[in-house]
Amino acid sequence: MPHPAAPEPSQPFEPAGPREPTAPREPTEPETVPATCGHTHLFPGARCRLQGLHDPHAFAAAPWPVGVDLRFSDGVIVDAELRAGGEADPVLTVPSYTTGAGTRIDERAWLVREFTLTGTEVELTTGAHASA
């Protein structure tokens, strides 16, 4: 039995015109990501690795606001917030908490000095205290 011929297209495909390159966009829903920290508390120069970002490369280049589940080396997890975007320097706000050894750490806000892409994670380095 012969195969029917494919129908001819009525018009050739033409793209809609030149497209502007799109900049990375922050997600429409606020994102919360885990972060591992190598110490029981933060200090100037402390580093934490943000994991599970939907676009770590874009985030390292131009960070946007995210919720952060900070996981300290003693197993304590704290719900923090990274405020970023716009002209202001990025700030990591951390509520008060108690370390695994029982030391009370007051609420603090930290300037973020640097974001570094490390594979699929983004390492942030804290700077000086910021005003909350």
Side-chain angles (χ1 to χ4, degrees):
M1 172 176 231
H3 293 287
E8 291 292 321
S10 58
Q11 295 180 355
F13 173 76
E14 292 184 28
R19 296 183 79 195
E20 296 282 327
T22 57
R25 300 180 77 145
E26 56 185 80
T28 54
E29 294 291 319
E31 189 174 13
T32 298
V33 297
T36 57
C37 302
H39 298 278
T40 60
H41 60 282
L42 297 177
F43 50 88
R47 295 179 179 165
C48 299
R49 287 195 173 202
L50 301 170
Q51 304 160 335
L53 290 159
H54 77 277
D55 188 347
H57 183 61
F59 186 89
W64 53 81
V66 293
V68 180
D69 290 335
L70 287 180
R71 299 164 192 255
F72 291 102
S73 63
D74 59 1
V76 173
I77 299 173
V78 179
D79 293 331
E81 180 183 356
L82 178 68
R83 296 182 311 214
E87 295 181 24
D89 290 330
V91 173
L92 180 66
T93 58
V94 182
S96 60
Y97 68 98
T98 302
T99 67
T103 304
R104 176 118 174 110
I105 306 291
D106 291 332
E107 177 179 357
R108 293 261 167 87
W110 298 91
L111 291 172
V112 178
R113 183 168 65 199
E114 182 178 29
F115 292 92
T116 306
L117 182 65
T118 58
T120 60
E121 299 176 343
V122 174
E123 184 174 80
L124 69 80
T125 304
T126 57
H129 289 186
S131 58

